[in-house]
Every structure is written in C-alpha cells, then in structure tokens.
Amino acid sequence: HYSFFPNMPRWPPSRTDLTYAFLPANQIEDSVKVVFARAFVRWSDVIPMTFTETASFSTADIRIGFFSGDHGDGEPFDGVLGTLAHAFSPPSGLLHLDGDENWVVNGSPSTAYAAVDLESVAVHEIGHLLGLGHSSVEEAIMYPTISTGSRRVELASDDIQGIQYLY
Ligand code: TQI
Ligand code: ZN
Ligand code: ZN
C-alpha cells in the first residue's frame, strides 16, 4: 500500500503547472532530458498537473542535478550503488542523482556492471517530489528496492491510487 511523508506535504492546489530545470553545470544530454520528460508524463497522465522544462534553473519549481559524494545538503552520495538518488518532499522540488552510478539511458534491461536504469529512478523520485512515500506493493514504482539492471517504469494501480488521493 502507498504512503505519504509525515504531515502529508503536497504542492498547493494553485500549483498545477510546475516547471523543471537541469543544473546547467551538468550539461545534460538530450537523451537524458527525453527520459525525464517521459517520466514526468507518466505522472501527469494520471493527475491534473503538468510539468514543463524551463531553461531557468534558479526559478524552476523542480531542480534536477547529478552530484558526486558530499554536495552540500547533508545527504552525501556514496559512489557506485547504495544510494542512487534522492528527492525532497513538497514543495522543495530538489531531485538529485548520484553522478557516480552507471546510468542506463533509454536502455533495455542491462547486465552491464552495476547498471541502474535512469527512467526507473526518475519515475520513483518524481513520486517523492510530489509527496509519495514508499509502498509495500512490490510492483509499485514507490516500492523501496529494485534489482540492479532491471527496469520498472509503469505506474502500478497502487501508485495511481496514492497520487490521486493527494491531487
Ligand atoms: N534513494 C532513496 C529513495 O529514493 C532515498 C530514501 C531513503 C528515501 N529512504 C527514503 C526517500 C524515504 C524518501 C523517503 O528511496 S535510493 C530506488 C529503488 C533509490 C532506490 O537511492 O535508495 C529508486 C532511489 F526503489 F529502486 F530501490 C530510486 Cl527507484
Ligand atoms: Zn542531494
Ligand atoms: Zn524512494
């Protein structure tokens, strides 16, 4: 079953059109942007909210970046595997990915060493950004573990019920 963060934080009802931006210093490739665009649409397909990329990082509602190790928010990354990414509860809008992972972009399930599917992690972290905690349902996007190299990108009915309760 789905869960929420303590006190059930959510984006205010007036904020139905959120913007997102990538940290300019990361020089994010278009292929990565396409993966994120797809990940956002999976959520906007089921709730009355839209997500639009903006070039203005400083004013974006959602700010996405790749970082290695300690990056100043008290939640350092840890190199290959372990923590892959984190996102903070609404309305922080911070979505950080561990730059040391072997990210698979647009990949089919991979047996490459410690491969991590970017879209799977993006969909999961956007769930956190919107206010979902972890789910006890194994098929859910918000289930807290995934096996290395595997891909899980489709919302389960549990994820949909959780997000539709919030929005
Ligand atoms: N990162 C954790 C996560 O996003 C961070 C975290 C731990 C967390 N406890 C939390 C976030 C409680 C919110 C609330 O879950 S992670 C997966 C999965 C991670 C794990 O790197 O462990 C995914 C990130 F589910 F696959 F294991 C993304 Cl998809
Ligand atoms: Zn961080
Ligand atoms: Zn999580």
Side-chain angles (χ1 to χ4, degrees):
H1 201 275
Y2 58 80
S3 71
F4 305 116
F5 291 102
N7 303 319
M8 218 187 279
R10 49 158 287 163
W11 292 83
S14 58
R15 306 304 320 282
T16 54
D17 298 287
L18 299 181
T19 57
Y20 66 92
F22 298 94
L23 185 67
N26 283 157
Q27 298 187 282
I28 302 281
E29 290 167 32
D30 282 350
S31 56
V32 169
K33 295 190 177 186
V34 168
V35 164
F36 269 93
R38 216 156 52 210
F40 277 112
V41 164
R42 293 181 188 279
W43 292 104
S44 62
D45 271 350
V46 300
I47 51 171
M49 242 193 202
T50 67
F51 303 98
T52 308
E53 193 193 339
T54 169
S56 175
F57 187 77
S58 58
T59 64
D61 298 307
I62 295 168
R63 299 187 294 286
I64 302 167
F66 289 83
F67 300 90
S68 293
D70 190 344
H71 53 283
D73 61 10
E75 309 269 355
F77 285 132
D78 53 5
V80 176
L81 298 183
T83 300
L84 313 170
H86 52 229
F88 296 85
S89 56
S92 95
L94 296 181
L95 196 171
H96 295 167
L97 301 122
D98 188 339
D100 290 337
E101 304 302 341
N102 297 312
W103 293 108
V104 175
V105 180
N106 279 321
S108 40
S110 170
T111 54
Y113 173 70
V116 180
D117 181 64
L118 179 64
E119 189 170 352
S120 304
V121 171
V123 177
H124 180 99
E125 296 305 330
I126 293 167
H128 286 318
L129 277 183
L130 294 175
L132 288 178
H134 284 147
S135 172
S136 56
V137 174
E138 249 182 274
E139 299 72 43
I141 286 289
M142 298 315 295
Y143 191 71
T145 62
I146 190 171
S147 22
T148 295
S150 82
R151 192 168 153 81
R152 183 180 68 203
V153 296
E154 308 245 0
L155 300 191
S157 54
D158 182 71
D159 301 303
I160 296 171
Q161 283 161 22
I163 205 69
Q164 290 186 341
Y165 184 92
L166 267 186
Y167 299 98

